[in-house]
Amino acid sequence: LLFLFICVLGVISAFQLGSETTVLRKTMMSSVPGNWDKKIAIRVGGLTTALVRGGSRFFKLPPEPRAALDAVHGVEVGVYHLREDPGFVERGAILTRADKAMAARGWDRIVGVVQEGDLVAIYMPHKKASARNLRCCVAVLNGRDLVVVSARGNLEPLLAIAEKHIEPELHRSLLAWR
């Protein structure tokens, strides 16, 4: 009975966003007048990503997809659409509200871009982070579409792949520059 309860809870939680992602979503939505429709909200946690990583070992994958699978330890994605055109929306004010809400939860904005009808914000926790244990939240508001993402993982496999690709390119660029 306990196993069945845990399974049901796991399935239900797969369609619920975590607390930081929910705070970011609510702040963004409440800053834009109108009615929002949820297109999808899904969470893939540590257990699921570990099972995918383990199962993928049975397949010969190129280094880049292997590094991506090894890097991701959990991800949440929510996609929403505003039903009606909100008219003029001050995206700088939205960013300020999101900053306050996330700072209250221990997160700092590391990237913020407001250009025409678009807004992109990336947040990381105040706590020290390392490449082995990194978390971030991202919000993208494009016209009437909102995407919120939260991810955690280990960047070291991706950095190793990037290093292998960057060094030859850098070497060729230096040779061409001479």
Side-chain angles (χ1 to χ4, degrees):
L1 194 59
L2 180 62
F3 178 74
L4 180 61
F5 177 74
I6 291 172
C7 288
V8 169
L9 191 61
V11 169
I12 291 170
S13 71
F15 297 101
Q16 301 289 323
L17 298 179
S19 59
E20 284 84 13
T21 314
T22 299
V23 166
L24 187 55
R25 173 188 57 86
K26 285 181 178 180
T27 302
M28 301 292 279
M29 285 179 160
S30 67
S31 300
V32 180
N35 297 307
W36 292 89
D37 290 324
K38 176 170 63 172
K39 297 299 177 187
I40 189 167
I42 193 160
R43 175 171 50 183
V44 179
L47 180 60
T48 306
T49 56
L51 289 171
V52 169
R53 278 192 307 277
S56 71
R57 300 285 181 223
F58 295 107
F59 303 99
K60 182 168 175 52
L61 293 175
E64 293 83 1
R66 169 70 55 215
L69 284 174
D70 289 344
V72 176
H73 291 184
V75 67
E76 304 173 6
V77 178
V79 179
Y80 307 88
H81 182 75
L82 187 60
R83 288 185 200 157
E84 56 277 331
D85 184 8
F88 176 76
V89 175
E90 177 57 48
R91 282 170 167 65
I94 296 171
L95 199 56
T96 301
R97 286 188 70 199
D99 289 351
K100 281 184 180 178
M102 294 300 282
R105 298 194 55 90
W107 292 68
D108 294 317
R109 178 168 42 96
I110 59 167
V111 174
V113 177
V114 175
Q115 184 176 355
E116 297 176 14
D118 301 329
L119 179 149
V120 177
I122 302 174
Y123 296 88
M124 290 184 68
H126 294 310
K127 296 186 281 184
K128 271 190 169 178
S130 69
R132 297 189 97 178
N133 185 19
L134 189 67
R135 293 172 43 199
C136 71
C137 280
V138 178
V140 177
L141 181 60
N142 177 274
R144 294 176 13 195
D145 295 314
L146 171 65
V147 178
V148 290
V149 177
S150 177
R152 60 185 171 80
N154 176 2
L155 281 183
E156 287 181 345
L158 293 176
L159 294 173
I161 290 293
E163 188 176 294
K164 288 179 184 175
H165 288 287
I166 289 173
E167 285 183 15
E169 288 298 318
L170 182 60
H171 184 69
R172 280 195 287 273
S173 295
L174 289 173
L175 288 176
W177 182 69
R178 284 189 199 181

